[in-house]
Amino acid sequence: MRRWSLHLPFGLLLGLVACVAPPPLGVVEGEATAVGGGVAGAEATLVPAGAVATDGSRSVRTDASGAFVFERVPPGEYGLTVIAAADGLGAHVPAVSVARDETTSVPVALTPLGGITAAVDVSDRAVRPDGELVIDAFLVGTPLTARVDAAGSLVLEGVPEGGFELSLRSAGYATVAVPVTVAAGEVLAVPETVVLRRLAPYARFDLVRFGDTVEVDASASFAVDGGGLRYAWEFGDGATASGVTATHTYFRGGSMTIRLTVTDDEGNSDSVTQQIEVTTPRVPAGSSRGAVVAEPTLAPGQMAELEVAPTAGGPLLYLEVPAGGYLEAAQGGATYYASTPDRFSRGSLLDDTTGPAGADLAPQAITTTVRCDGPCVILPAAGGAALVRFVNPSRTTQTVPLVAFMDAFSDANEPNDGFGAPTPLFDEQEGAIELVGDRDVFRVEREGRLVFSNPPTMIRLRAQVYAADGFTRQRTLADGESMLVTAEQYVVVEALADTAAASARSLYFLTLE
């Protein structure tokens, strides 16, 4: 067996080892003791100097003898706090130095725990629209923290003896640092009320509603220093706006949260919200081909949802959006979707799950001259109003028109969806499958060779030949296939799947030679 070896200069090997070696770290160890010996089960916490509980603290428990060990500690300065809550004892060591590759030993003598109380000015709560003012208190260099209650009272329990910095923090306010010294077993009451200085502006807005349209006005917002503000609006349906005032029309129903965020010249910001309920908009279908019934301005990926009601213009309801978009329509317990002008299918495109299957739509007549320019769905007017959803597929905000119109029958063969009323086939016939679930039935009137044509630019269809009894299926024909037939046989043309298309994309031809 051949052996391979790699020879590298010694200096290069040392360099490689240095690149992968872990950074040098230190160890902190110690023993927590009280009168009578070591204290087991106490919690020892290392906090980086000047930091608070949420900033990279580490905790361990003392063992049966009161010993504790922190391994792999980055070099630096730390505060060490040991709390034996069950015994009411604790201690704080404010300065623990950790050096690389060295062990720092810290003896800790526990004494009775005390506490801190303070009164905090929360009058600003009254001028906030939401009535909320969250103020958190931290004892710097320790894991201890508490929240100021609604009345402005702060109670921090389990504080070991020593000198500390009490830090009070709230979003939008300057941090306040209060020096405190706590004696063993005593509760320190901070003598003066703590007042936080507001930095952020105040967000306020008024709302006026006209049906599905809202007008918002943030003139009541202001900066604490009287400076300028920037205004950002979110309307809960994906739409946004800027400026002191804005107008927005909803093309979707549901519970909408309107959010205003104001930002001052220093980058400080504040937000406020109002919630409204929006009823799904309803529009009537047009009576002429290409009628635009809604033109919502949508942000990238934003969805519009509205009901389209059939009118007296005809028995077919055509729905269409511009090329490149997505369209979904629900009617009669079934959902249909389209992403191209060529076809539409049963199911849901805009949801994670497929819509309810529902019953097949009753076949309707075709209009062989209609062509869709974008994704379209065709529904029977008899099914009632359709819940229509579509999105803006582009990367920019733009207006997305919804076309909805009624159309009349133009196929003299309809209705021919059952064996009880078939269309006679003597020489040639043509048709289209415009509705999901549609099928066209023909009765052969003479002997000859039947040829089925389903051009490749159309959706995939099939022609099934049945015996004269209307029950026995004898053969299925695809595009270009043929077979000998006799009088009184039946031919049924239908889509291969739950799909359909405008007649310009769903045509077929039957020829009896």
Side-chain angles (χ1 to χ4, degrees):
M1 181 175 66
R2 178 176 296 180
R3 298 180 181 274
W4 298 89
S5 61
L6 179 64
H7 299 280
L8 294 174
F10 181 71
L12 179 58
L13 285 173
L14 288 178
L16 292 173
V17 171
C19 289
V20 299
L25 303 171
V27 176
V28 176
E29 64 178 16
E31 182 181 3
T33 60
V35 176
V39 179
E43 183 175 37
T45 304
L46 270 181
V47 178
V52 297
T54 56
D55 300 331
S57 63
R58 298 173 56 185
S59 297
V60 296
R61 290 282 180 179
T62 59
D63 63 16
S65 65
F68 59 88
V69 178
F70 292 93
E71 298 180 338
R72 302 182 58 79
V73 180
E77 298 296 319
Y78 296 86
L80 172 64
T81 304
V82 181
I83 303 292
D87 300 311
L89 301 173
H92 177 68
V93 182
V96 176
S97 298
V98 179
R100 62 184 59 188
D101 295 327
E102 293 186 6
T103 298
T104 301
S105 297
V106 185
V108 181
L110 306 186
T111 58
L113 293 170
I116 299 173
T117 63
V120 182
D121 180 8
V122 292
S123 59
D124 212 24
R125 186 189 307 273
V127 297
R128 294 180 61 87
D130 54 12
E132 293 185 2
L133 180 59
V134 177
I135 303 175
D136 290 311
F138 301 90
L139 213 55
V140 177
T142 80
L144 302 178
T145 180
R147 177 160 290 180
V148 177
D149 68 15
S153 176
L154 170 65
V155 177
L156 186 59
E157 300 176 328
V159 180
E161 69 173 312
F164 303 93
E165 178 184 297
L166 178 64
S167 177
L168 289 93
R169 307 179 182 186
S170 181
Y173 296 81
T175 298
V176 176
V178 180
V180 294
T181 300
V182 178
E186 295 186 2
V187 175
L188 170 69
V190 176
E192 297 183 359
T193 299
V194 181
V195 180
L196 276 67
R197 180 171 61 89
R198 176 82 177 189
L199 298 176
Y202 290 89
R204 306 279 188 277
F205 74 89
D206 296 315
L207 182 151
V208 179
R209 183 173 176 179
F210 304 95
D212 299 323
T213 298
V214 293
E215 294 180 355
V216 287
D217 186 341
S219 299
S221 301
F222 63 94
V224 293
D225 61 358
L229 292 175
R230 298 189 301 275
Y231 306 84
W233 300 94
E234 300 173 51
F235 292 98
D237 61 350
T240 59
S242 59
V244 178
T245 62
T247 301
H248 177 65
T249 299
Y250 287 96
F251 287 91
R252 182 179 178 184
S255 180
M256 304 295 173
T257 299
I258 301 175
R259 177 182 298 274
L260 167 67
T261 300
V262 295
T263 305
D264 65 16
D265 296 333
E266 302 299 322
N268 301 306
S269 63
D270 186 36
S271 296
V272 66
T273 63
Q274 292 189 45
Q275 193 164 358
I276 63 173
E277 296 296 327
V278 179
T279 302
T280 301
R282 185 182 178 96
V283 296
S287 58
S288 60
R289 291 182 183 177
V292 175
V293 297
E295 295 184 274
T297 299
L298 304 177
Q302 183 184 352
M303 183 175 69
E305 179 182 84
L306 64 159
E307 288 186 351
V308 177
T311 58
L316 294 180
L317 171 61
Y318 278 75
L319 305 164
E320 184 177 336
V321 294
Y326 308 97
L327 174 65
E328 183 176 292
Q331 183 195 59
T335 302
Y336 304 88
Y337 72 88
S339 58
T340 71
D342 300 332
R343 71 186 64 208
F344 63 95
S345 305
R346 187 189 302 272
S348 176
L349 187 68
L350 301 179
D351 284 336
D352 293 333
T353 58
T354 300
D360 285 343
L361 293 176
Q364 300 288 342
I366 61 169
T367 308
T368 57
T369 57
V370 174
R371 179 186 300 272
C372 292
D373 295 320
C376 64
V377 172
I378 307 166
L379 301 172
L387 181 64
V388 181
R389 301 197 296 176
F390 53 100
V391 300
N392 173 13
S394 74
R395 297 182 179 180
T396 60
T397 298
Q398 64 180 19
T399 298
V400 182
L402 172 65
V403 171
F405 61 92
M406 310 305 297
D407 204 3
F409 294 151
S410 65
D411 185 354
N413 291 331
E414 292 289 346
N416 65 337
D417 55 300
F419 290 96
T423 298
L425 176 59
F426 290 99
D427 297 304
E428 293 181 350
Q429 286 286 355
E430 67 179 34
I433 303 299
E434 276 198 314
L435 297 177
V436 171
D438 188 10
R439 67 175 188 170
D440 294 342
V441 181
F442 299 85
R443 185 180 65 226
V444 178
E445 299 298 326
R446 65 177 179 83
E447 183 178 325
R449 177 167 292 276
L450 174 68
V451 181
F452 176 61
S453 177
N454 177 210
T457 57
M458 306 296 157
I459 63 173
R460 293 300 85 202
L461 307 175
R462 64 187 174 191
Q464 300 191 90
V465 180
Y466 286 80
D469 59 12
F471 296 99
T472 306
R473 186 170 60 192
Q474 297 179 323
R475 186 175 172 184
T476 299
L477 302 180
D479 175 45
E481 294 183 340
S482 65
M483 67 173 290
L484 291 174
V485 294
T486 60
E488 297 186 353
Q489 285 184 288
Y490 292 92
V491 182
V492 178
V493 181
E494 60 188 6
L496 292 181
D498 279 348
T499 58
S503 55
R505 289 292 186 178
S506 62
L507 283 172
Y508 65 87
F509 303 91
L510 293 173
T511 303
L512 190 57
E513 298 176 344

